[in-house]
Amino acid sequence: GRGVKQSTENDMEAVRLLLLAEAKDIAASTNLLGWLQQEGRGGLPKDDAMARERYEKADAADEPFAAVNLAVFYRDGRGGLEKNVEEAMRLFRKAADAGNARGMFLLAALHSKRSRGETDTDGQLARQWVERAAAEGYGDAMMTMGSYAYIRGDYDGAADWYLKAFKAGAAIAPPEERRMNQALQRVLRKLGVYDGPIDGNMGPKTDAAFERLGEAD
């Protein structure tokens, strides 16, 4: 739906064009066809097994997004695969090493899940991969960085990350408390989109500031 209307007809046109590209062995198109197969869009039947086959084919051609999609299937036990966290981590790491920010973030999530504390190896790796994904502009990673700052009591730092995540298109959910709201208002003012009081009351002026921020380049 970018530049054209999102519709069933355009989904089908996307599939037609992707099939032409896949015939030329373009791995990115194979991965995208796998995703459309996974979602059952563009006239393709919803079929995890067929999606997995395409992800495997695209991953064999070193398409990072396919490595991520295949890793999710291993993580969740989908497409006829048994759950295999180690293989999921290997594939996420493969994508992350190729610069894929989503792979970095999902790898961090698995390290965090098996961590027993931020000071163990998994905890440290989780933090490092979140930081790298945030540096690449990945919205969910920026949101996590905001949470890290909030836990430290750095409200302005948290607000800065939350607003960066918002700009990146992430669905943000800052903690609902006055100090956090005031920090958001301070950073919104610093960004030149808010001229209201720093009182922690998230009213129409703050809503308008978020709207202006979303529209800004």
Side-chain angles (χ1 to χ4, degrees):
R2 294 173 62 181
V4 295
K5 181 181 178 182
Q6 188 172 17
S7 66
T8 300
E9 291 76 14
N10 281 332
D11 274 357
M12 295 178 73
E13 176 64 4
V15 168
R16 185 186 73 81
L17 294 168
L18 288 167
L19 285 168
L20 290 173
E22 185 180 47
K24 296 180 182 294
D25 296 323
I26 298 174
S29 64
T30 300
N31 172 64
L32 287 167
L33 283 165
W35 181 78
L36 289 164
Q37 192 92 61
Q38 175 185 327
E39 299 296 311
R41 288 176 57 175
L44 297 175
K46 189 170 185 174
D47 190 322
D48 276 3
M50 292 184 71
R52 170 184 54 81
E53 290 179 7
R54 278 198 158 105
Y55 294 153
E56 288 173 336
K57 180 181 177 181
D59 172 57
D62 293 326
E63 167 55 47
F65 287 99
V68 172
N69 289 333
L70 185 57
V72 170
F73 273 31
Y74 272 108
R75 183 195 66 189
D76 299 342
R78 292 180 61 175
L81 298 172
E82 292 186 7
K83 285 188 177 183
N84 187 332
V85 174
E86 292 303 319
E87 181 62 6
M89 293 186 83
R90 183 189 74 79
L91 288 162
F92 283 141
R93 178 63 187 264
K94 179 182 178 181
D97 285 340
N100 186 284
R102 184 165 184 255
M104 295 174 191
F105 183 71
L106 294 177
L107 177 61
L110 287 183
H111 277 299
S112 180
K113 188 172 182 180
R114 71 182 192 182
S115 171
R116 295 183 179 277
E118 290 187 5
T119 58
D120 67 13
T121 299
D122 279 303
Q124 292 171 0
L125 286 170
R127 179 63 177 258
Q128 289 170 15
W129 284 115
V130 167
E131 289 175 349
R132 286 188 59 178
E136 292 291 328
Y138 194 70
D140 288 345
M142 293 177 180
M143 182 70 186
T144 303
M145 291 297 293
S147 298
Y148 289 160
Y150 174 78
I151 290 169
R152 295 196 306 270
D154 179 6
Y155 294 98
D156 281 25
D160 186 54
W161 277 116
Y162 289 141
L163 292 174
K164 285 179 180 177
F166 175 78
K167 283 283 291 178
I172 68 170
E176 290 284 345
E177 66 165 278
R178 186 168 178 269
R179 287 178 298 180
M180 189 69 250
N181 290 346
Q182 288 176 308
L184 287 167
Q185 289 171 333
R186 279 194 296 271
V187 177
L188 286 167
R189 178 179 284 178
K190 181 180 176 182
L191 293 171
V193 295
Y194 178 70
D195 61 0
I198 309 299
D199 57 7
N201 295 321
M202 306 297 272
K205 278 205 165 189
T206 312
D207 293 341
F210 270 98
E211 186 173 343
R212 285 192 288 272
L213 182 65
E215 294 171 349
D217 293 330

